[in-house]
């Protein structure tokens, strides 16, 4: 029985507008494809045909039970007096709805489908379910829900989560697969009425020539060149094909080199061909058409009766006699006669899993691999916009990790090319910033640890399928910083290439004939600076003592010698004199390049510099300015006494109570070795002193003494910087004195010095907070900063002169108040007056 309902019906508990009596009614469905009904009805005298109006709903019995279809086309044939209608399954009502912006992130199949329906522009009667448990991520912007589920884009549900759709009236399910393997098996045959095999040998290859690339981008072939199929003799002649494997010797892929040698590449090439043959590259593609309308209950067809039991998505095994193999085919489309309740046709096609695609899903032609990489500017804003959409929930899900891995792999693959070009063009500042941003991003994705090679920790195969707790803000910032630095570098390369091209063109136009060769790949860029020569024959020549030849500056144990007439700047850092001689036959004799003391005598003035090159990155590192710049927990004070005077360089120390801690954030050079030193003494034995460094949100313990003593102990240890700002923390389980803290760049143990911007003398302190002047005999002190002038008595602020005016904070009178003085005035004949002045 076929019923028709009004277009607005959503409940089918009654007969609606009534029945119709079509002459034919066939439903067809494809896996993840169309699901439609085609009906032909006579123009009858009862007027039933008038019920078949556009947008009305037809309900008919199908291979999936009774289903609803909405009419979208009505064609009246006045010649034969029929009405033909086409109707789509009610699922396609979703074509009229709209998804503006739905982004299931790290969701299972059921969660993603429900989010799509919930994100529709208006409510729908549809429900969704799925047995797909793995998670993924997709973005659906300004499209219909049907496109979101079954579209042909990479973002479509069936592309991201996989599966095959089951449409049952207003219920939608996308499960792992349709159908089953019920053991239906048929033998190869052809030209049989109603059962026809089709062979397509257009893609067959029985002799394959695999190709790869050498390290220098030359084509690499196997020593034996060709690999033959085991079925080669079953064809009248070999079918030869060349296949690009996409492999390259020595090429880094995702942080690793899969084929470091030619022999390892040969092995992979042979396996590549073997996999292709295993996947059926040497066997024709088969399809089977079953037309049940032509079947007769006669001898010869009984063995195919089992096909009557199959349904959409079921497996059928075909014994393919010519090659002695069995091929698994699936029912990929059906047509069902709603009037006779039986299949009319089955379309059985081969569902072949491509081994090649699993190995190299983005196979490239050799010509594409060999092409020179031309770096062009990119619009970074569109990419960073996509990155900003990720990880707003501080969780890096498997779906987001897959997207991040694709992005990061792209960065890693292009890094070598960008670095080579920038180096050849002499672009250093932008290249350094680019390398730093790549390293910072890689460190962050590596769980905060130093990244060296391979795939970062969070994105490797062992962690790709799990969700990682992160800081979404930091994650996005690292990506944005990388894109910004990359864009700046690309712009610099483009500008330099254009400038070189313009210079070359100008030279040609002027007929200077001075341009001999322009190497477009720019593997070498040379710059000649005429007139600049340095001749050094002795140590005296290195430092000219002429009155107008030297400007000598001493700043924080670093000497900079500038020879202004030749615009040469030589820096002497860390007691090391690095002599650079450039192609002018300059010679040094008996020069020790690691000087601990440098002396220079100018007209009888002797200048001695010792302990050069050390900088303390910590501020107020011995507590000489109280607890300024330090964060503390529990009780921490500073002391300066005989003990600190006799045993420390700074003459001061932090007095840390048991269970206390001090910490300070400081800036440092990225991706460099640093050394920490500390002098401490505990009040007793058996306590614990811990020193740790926090970088990228991860804390690392550098020193852990679990058995303190009462003697002063000097400790030192190194670490490698993973960011430009980190934090040092000292924790004590027992009362200790901690002094002479220093963090310096390099691996040498540095003696304690105060920070660059600090100056401490008796009752005089200068640092970034301002200038403090005190007194040995009283507890008065004055502090001058950019915001105020203050006078203290101990910790009590007495006078504060600030930009908002001058005010008297407090006046304390401890003795009698005396105002002015008393003066006696004697007036003749009057007496004595006393005047208070």
């Amino acid at each position: 029985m076929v019923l028709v309902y009004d277009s607005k019906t959503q409940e089918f508990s009654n007969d609606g507008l009534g029945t119709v009596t079509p002459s034919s009614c066939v439903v067809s469905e494809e896996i993840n494809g169309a699901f439609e009904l085609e009906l032909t009805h006579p123009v009858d005298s009862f007027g039933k045909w008038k019920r078949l109006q556009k947008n009305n709903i037809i309900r008919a019995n199908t291979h999936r039970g009774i289903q609803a279809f909405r009419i979208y086309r009505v064609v009246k044939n006045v010649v034969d007096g029929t009405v033909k209608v086409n109707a789509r399954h009610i699922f396609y009502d979703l074509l009229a709805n709209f998804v503006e912006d739905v982004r299931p992130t790290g969701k299972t199949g059921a969660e993603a489908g429900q989010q799509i329906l919930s994100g529709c522009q208006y409510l729908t009667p549809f429900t969704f379910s799925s047995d797909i448990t793995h998670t993924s991520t997709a973005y659906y912007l300004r499209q219909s829900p049907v496109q979101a589920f079954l579209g042909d884009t990479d973002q479509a549900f069936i592309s991201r989560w996989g599966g095959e759709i089951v449409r049952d009236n207003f219920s939608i399910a996308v499960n792992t697969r349709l159908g089953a393997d019920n053991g239906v098996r048929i033998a190869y045959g052809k030209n049989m009425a109603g059962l026809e095999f089709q062979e397509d040998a257009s893609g067959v290859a029985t002799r394959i020539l695999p190709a790869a690339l050498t390290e220098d981008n030359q084509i690499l072939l196997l020593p034996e060149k060709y690999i033959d199929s085991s079925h080669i003799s079953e064809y009248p002649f070999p079918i030869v094909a060349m296949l690009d494997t996409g492999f390259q010797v020595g090429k880094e892929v995702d942080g690793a080199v899969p084929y470091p040698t030619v022999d390892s590449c040969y092995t992979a090439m042979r396996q590549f061909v073997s996999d292709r043959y295993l996947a059926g590259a040497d066997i024709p593609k088969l399809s089977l058409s079953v037309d049940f309308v032509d079947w007769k209950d006669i001898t010869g067809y009984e063995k195919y009766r089992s096909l009557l039991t199959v349904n959409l998505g079921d497996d059928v095994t075909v014994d393919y006699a010519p090659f002695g193999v069995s091929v698994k085919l699936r029912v990929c489309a059906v047509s069902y006669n709603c009037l006779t309740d039986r299949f009319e046709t089955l379309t059985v096609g081969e569902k072949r899993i491509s081994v090649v695609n699993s190995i190299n899903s983005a196979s490239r032609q050799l010509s594409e691999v060999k092409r020179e990489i031309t770096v062009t500017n990119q619009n970074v804003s569109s990419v960073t916009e996509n990155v900003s959409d990720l990880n707003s929930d501080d969780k890096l899900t498997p779906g987001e990790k897959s997207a991040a891995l694709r992005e990061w792999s792209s960065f890693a693959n292009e890094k070598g090319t960008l670095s080579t070009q920038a180096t050849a063009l002499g672009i250093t500042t932008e290249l350094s910033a680019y390398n730093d941003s790549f390293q910072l991003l890689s460190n962050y994705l590596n769980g905060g640890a130093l990244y060296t090679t391979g795939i970062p920790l969070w994105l490797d195969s062992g962690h790709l399928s799990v969700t990682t707790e992160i800081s979404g803000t930091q994650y996005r910032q690292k990506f944005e910083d990388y894109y910004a630095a990359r864009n700046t570098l690309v712009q610099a390369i483009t500008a330099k290439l254009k400038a070189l091209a313009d210079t070359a063109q100008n030279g040609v136009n002027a007929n200077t004939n001075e341009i001999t060769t322009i190497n477009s790949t720019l593997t070498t860029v040379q710059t000649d600076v005429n007139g600049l020569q340095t001749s050094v024959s002795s140590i005296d020549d290195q430092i000219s003592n002429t009155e107008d030849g030297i400007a000598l500056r001493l700043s924080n144990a670093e000497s900079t010698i500038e020879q202004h007439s030749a615009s040469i700047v030589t820096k002497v850092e860390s007691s090391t004199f690095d002599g650079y001689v450039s192609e002018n036959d300059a010679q040094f004799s008996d020069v020790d390049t690691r000087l601990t003391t440098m002396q220079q005598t100018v007209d009888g003035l002797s200048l001695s510099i010792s302990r050069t090159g050390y900088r303390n990155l910590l501020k107020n590192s011995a507590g000489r300015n109280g607890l300024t710049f330090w964060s503390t927990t529990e009780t921490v004070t500073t002391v300066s006494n005989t003990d600190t005077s006799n045993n420390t360089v700074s003459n001061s120390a932090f007095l840390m109570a048991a269970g206390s801690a001090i910490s300070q954030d400081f800036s440092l050079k990225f991706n460099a070795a640093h050394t920490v030193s500390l002098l401490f003494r505990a009040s007793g034995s058996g306590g614990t002193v811990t020193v740790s460094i926090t970088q990228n949100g991860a804390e690392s313990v550098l020193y852990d003494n679990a058995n303190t003593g009462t003697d002063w102990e000097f400790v030192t240890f190194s670490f490698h910087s993973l960011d430009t700002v980190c934090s040092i923390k000292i924790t004590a389980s027992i009362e200790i004195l901690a002094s002479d803290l220093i963090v310096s760049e390099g691996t040498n143990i540095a003696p304690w010095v105060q920070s660059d911007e600090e100056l401490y003398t008796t009752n005089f302190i200068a640092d970034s907070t301002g200038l403090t002047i005190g007194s040995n005999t009283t507890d008065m002190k004055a502090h001058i900063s950019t915001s105020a002038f203050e006078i203290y008595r101990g910790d009590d602020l007495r006078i504060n002169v600030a930009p908002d005016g001058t005010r008297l904070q407090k006046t304390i009178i401890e003795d009698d108040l005396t105002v002015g003085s008393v003066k006696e005035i004697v007036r003749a004949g009057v007496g004595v007056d006393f005047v208070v002045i």
Side-chain angles (χ1 to χ4, degrees):
M1 182 171 62
V2 180
L3 294 169
V4 180
Y5 292 80
D6 179 80
S7 61
K8 296 182 179 180
T9 304
Q10 292 186 4
E11 272 293 333
F12 304 106
S13 57
N14 53 42
D15 291 342
L17 298 178
T19 63
V20 290
T21 54
S23 57
S24 70
C25 183
V26 176
V27 168
S28 60
E29 184 184 10
E30 301 174 2
I31 295 178
N32 286 344
F35 193 2
E36 296 199 1
L37 175 146
E38 184 175 278
L39 179 148
T40 302
H41 195 284
V43 179
D44 61 307
S45 58
F46 299 103
K48 291 184 177 181
W49 65 273
K50 295 180 181 180
R51 300 168 182 169
L52 300 172
Q53 300 296 318
K54 188 176 180 180
N55 291 326
N56 280 353
I57 300 171
I58 298 174
R59 292 192 77 214
N61 189 40
T62 74
H63 59 293
R64 294 200 178 280
I66 298 176
Q67 298 293 321
F69 298 82
R70 189 176 298 278
I71 299 172
Y72 68 89
R73 180 187 294 120
V74 178
V75 178
K76 298 175 184 177
N77 191 326
V78 296
V79 176
D80 60 8
T82 61
V83 176
K84 181 178 179 181
V85 299
N86 295 93
R88 297 189 187 98
H89 190 274
I90 200 71
F91 161 80
Y92 289 97
D93 279 2
L94 291 172
L95 283 170
N97 216 317
F98 197 67
V99 174
E100 293 183 9
D101 189 345
V102 172
R103 309 187 182 203
T105 303
K107 303 295 186 182
T108 63
E111 293 169 337
Q114 290 161 5
Q115 190 170 341
I116 292 172
L117 291 182
S118 299
C120 288
Q121 202 273 331
Y122 54 86
L123 292 176
T124 74
F126 292 92
T127 60
F128 184 87
S129 63
S130 176
D131 65 1
I132 298 173
T133 58
H134 69 266
T135 60
S136 188
T137 297
Y139 296 163
Y140 303 112
L141 307 176
R142 297 174 292 280
Q143 58 188 278
S144 76
V146 174
Q147 290 175 298
F149 283 118
L150 301 179
D152 58 359
T153 67
D154 176 62
Q155 294 290 321
F157 184 101
I158 59 173
S159 297
R160 288 304 178 100
W161 281 268
E164 295 171 347
I165 193 166
V166 179
R167 291 159 285 201
D168 184 6
N169 293 311
F170 291 109
S171 296
I172 307 168
V174 179
N175 293 325
T176 305
R177 64 158 286 172
L178 290 175
D181 186 350
N182 296 316
V184 177
R185 196 178 197 95
I186 60 176
Y188 169 84
K190 56 184 177 180
N191 298 327
M192 298 175 63
L195 181 61
E196 181 178 354
F197 282 94
Q198 296 178 2
E199 299 170 287
D200 180 4
S202 60
V204 168
T206 61
R207 176 169 289 169
I208 294 177
L209 175 68
L213 289 177
T214 63
E215 286 188 277
D216 55 356
N217 286 338
Q218 301 300 312
I219 294 178
L220 177 66
L221 301 178
L222 292 173
E224 65 272 26
K225 289 188 179 180
Y226 299 96
I227 299 178
D228 288 351
S229 160
S230 59
H231 297 301
I232 191 170
S233 62
E234 294 161 5
Y235 291 84
F237 42 77
I239 304 173
V240 185
M242 177 178 177
L243 295 181
D244 172 22
T245 63
F247 305 153
Q248 183 170 9
V249 178
K251 181 179 180 181
E252 183 176 317
V253 179
D254 293 337
V257 180
Y259 315 113
T261 65
V262 172
D263 286 341
S264 65
C265 194
Y266 283 158
T267 300
M269 292 164 69
R270 294 183 180 104
Q271 186 61 46
F272 177 89
V273 176
S274 176
D275 291 337
R276 289 302 296 266
Y277 286 144
L278 183 64
D282 51 355
I283 299 175
K285 183 179 288 187
L286 303 178
S287 63
L288 175 65
S289 177
V290 183
D291 188 352
F292 290 100
V293 175
D294 294 334
W295 280 35
K296 312 294 180 185
D297 294 330
I298 60 174
T299 303
Y301 287 92
E302 291 86 350
K303 58 184 177 181
Y304 300 119
R305 284 185 177 276
S306 58
L307 286 176
L308 291 171
T309 65
V310 302
N311 207 330
L312 185 67
D314 284 353
D315 291 328
V316 176
T317 301
V318 177
D319 294 326
Y320 191 57
F323 294 93
V325 297
S326 294
V327 180
K328 187 81 71 174
L329 306 177
R330 288 190 72 195
V331 179
C332 57
V334 300
S335 65
Y336 189 86
N337 191 317
C338 302
L339 303 181
T340 62
D341 288 335
R342 61 181 297 176
F343 287 113
E344 284 197 344
T345 61
L346 295 179
T347 301
V348 185
E350 183 176 5
K351 182 176 175 61
R352 178 178 292 166
I353 299 174
S354 174
V355 178
V356 178
N357 286 343
S358 66
I359 297 173
N360 185 15
S361 60
S363 179
R364 295 163 295 174
Q365 298 297 324
L366 285 173
S367 60
E368 293 176 340
V369 177
K370 293 184 65 178
R371 74 179 186 275
E372 295 183 21
I373 300 175
T374 303
V375 180
T376 58
N377 194 7
Q378 289 185 346
N379 185 347
V380 175
S381 61
S382 62
V383 184
T384 55
E385 181 182 354
N386 290 336
V387 174
S388 66
D389 289 332
L390 294 175
N391 309 103
S392 58
D393 56 357
D394 292 334
K395 294 180 184 295
L396 193 59
T397 64
E400 292 166 344
K401 286 184 177 182
S402 296
L405 178 58
R406 288 194 296 271
E407 292 290 321
W408 184 89
S409 298
S410 175
F411 305 159
N413 288 338
E414 73 174 359
K415 188 173 185 297
T417 300
L418 289 175
S419 298
T420 299
Q421 289 188 330
T423 301
L425 292 167
I427 300 172
T428 57
T429 302
E430 294 85 354
L431 177 59
S432 177
Y434 165 78
N435 287 333
D436 285 352
S437 64
F438 177 85
Q439 187 69 46
L440 283 170
L441 173 62
S442 299
N443 288 349
Y444 187 82
L445 296 175
N446 202 41
L450 177 65
Y451 167 80
T452 53
T453 59
I455 299 176
L457 176 68
W458 286 346
L459 306 182
D460 66 17
S461 58
H463 299 81
L464 195 60
S465 60
V466 298
T467 296
T468 300
E469 298 287 341
I470 65 164
S471 166
T473 301
Q474 289 190 42
Y475 177 92
R476 291 189 295 273
Q477 190 61 52
K478 299 296 184 187
F479 269 94
E480 290 171 5
D481 290 346
Y482 170 81
Y483 280 120
R486 180 198 179 280
N487 193 42
T488 300
L489 176 61
V490 170
Q491 289 175 339
I493 292 174
T494 303
K496 191 63 175 286
L497 288 172
K498 184 179 184 301
L500 290 174
D502 291 345
T503 300
Q505 187 61 50
N506 291 337
V508 172
N509 293 340
N511 296 316
T512 60
N513 294 322
E514 294 179 0
I515 301 175
T516 59
T517 303
I518 299 176
N519 187 346
S520 62
T521 59
L522 296 173
T523 56
T524 304
V525 178
Q526 294 181 335
T527 304
D528 296 326
V529 182
N530 297 325
L532 177 61
Q533 293 183 342
T534 303
S535 178
V536 182
S537 60
S538 68
I539 192 63
D540 293 332
D541 293 326
Q542 299 169 33
I543 307 175
S544 174
N545 295 324
T546 61
E547 183 177 351
D548 59 353
I550 292 182
L552 180 63
R553 294 173 54 203
L554 302 178
S555 175
N556 305 309
E558 181 184 87
S559 300
T560 302
I561 305 171
E562 299 182 353
Q563 185 172 339
H564 298 293
S565 60
S567 300
I568 299 176
V569 178
T570 303
K571 283 190 176 181
V572 181
E573 295 180 343
S574 303
S575 303
T576 302
F577 181 85
D578 294 322
Y580 295 93
V581 183
S582 58
E583 302 178 7
N584 291 300
D585 298 328
Q587 296 180 352
F588 291 96
S589 61
D590 301 326
V591 178
D592 184 1
T593 60
R594 302 194 59 81
L595 302 176
T596 57
T597 304
M598 180 178 71
Q599 289 188 333
Q600 176 184 337
T601 303
V602 181
D603 295 333
L605 175 63
S606 179
L607 176 65
S608 178
I609 304 172
S610 63
R611 202 172 67 236
T612 62
Y614 296 119
R615 295 178 58 233
N616 192 348
L617 303 180
L618 296 178
K619 299 175 183 178
N620 190 27
S621 55
R624 298 187 64 176
N625 192 10
L627 297 176
T628 305
F629 302 115
W630 290 94
S631 298
T632 64
T633 59
E634 300 303 331
T635 304
V636 180
T637 58
T638 59
V639 296
S640 181
N641 52 30
T642 303
D643 191 7
T644 60
S645 177
N646 292 337
N647 294 285
T648 70
V649 177
S650 62
N651 299 325
S652 181
F654 295 98
L655 177 58
M656 301 176 59
S660 64
I662 59 174
S663 63
Q664 182 181 140
D665 295 337
F666 62 95
S667 300
L668 70 173
K669 184 177 180 181
F670 168 67
N671 196 23
H674 291 77
T675 300
V676 180
S677 298
L678 167 69
L679 186 66
F680 75 92
R681 180 179 67 80
S683 61
S685 59
T688 299
V689 176
T690 303
V691 181
S692 63
I693 290 288
T694 299
Q695 304 185 83
N696 288 328
E699 184 177 11
S700 301
V701 175
L702 302 181
Y703 175 75
D704 189 4
N705 185 326
N707 188 16
T708 59
T710 57
D711 293 331
W712 283 96
E713 184 175 356
F714 176 76
V715 294
T716 184
F717 28 84
S718 298
F719 69 95
H720 199 89
S721 58
L722 303 178
D723 209 334
T724 56
V725 176
C726 71
S727 177
I728 186 171
K729 181 179 181 182
I730 302 171
T731 306
S733 69
I734 190 173
E735 182 184 280
I736 67 167
L737 289 173
S739 182
D740 294 356
L741 279 72
I742 180 172
V743 177
S744 60
E745 186 178 334
T747 56
N748 293 331
I749 300 174
W752 180 85
V753 292
Q754 58 209 25
S755 178
D756 293 349
E757 57 190 27
E758 295 176 347
L759 176 62
Y760 300 105
T761 63
T762 303
N763 300 315
F764 184 92
I765 298 173
D767 56 30
S768 60
T769 67
L771 179 65
T772 303
I773 304 171
S775 170
N776 279 332
T777 58
T778 70
D779 58 355
M780 297 290 293
K781 67 179 179 181
H783 182 72
I784 305 172
S785 67
T786 58
S787 60
F789 172 77
E790 302 163 327
I791 297 179
Y792 290 83
R793 178 72 182 270
D795 294 329
D796 190 14
L797 178 63
R798 297 296 182 87
I799 296 177
N800 177 23
V801 181
D804 60 349
T806 302
R807 60 189 176 90
L808 185 63
Q809 185 74 10
K810 183 184 290 185
T811 300
I812 298 176
I813 302 172
E814 297 178 349
D815 299 318
D816 295 337
L817 172 64
T818 302
V819 180
S821 61
V822 179
K823 184 176 183 180
E824 178 183 345
I825 300 175
V826 179
R827 300 177 63 187
V830 177
V832 178
D833 289 342
F834 290 90
V835 179
V836 178
I837 300 175

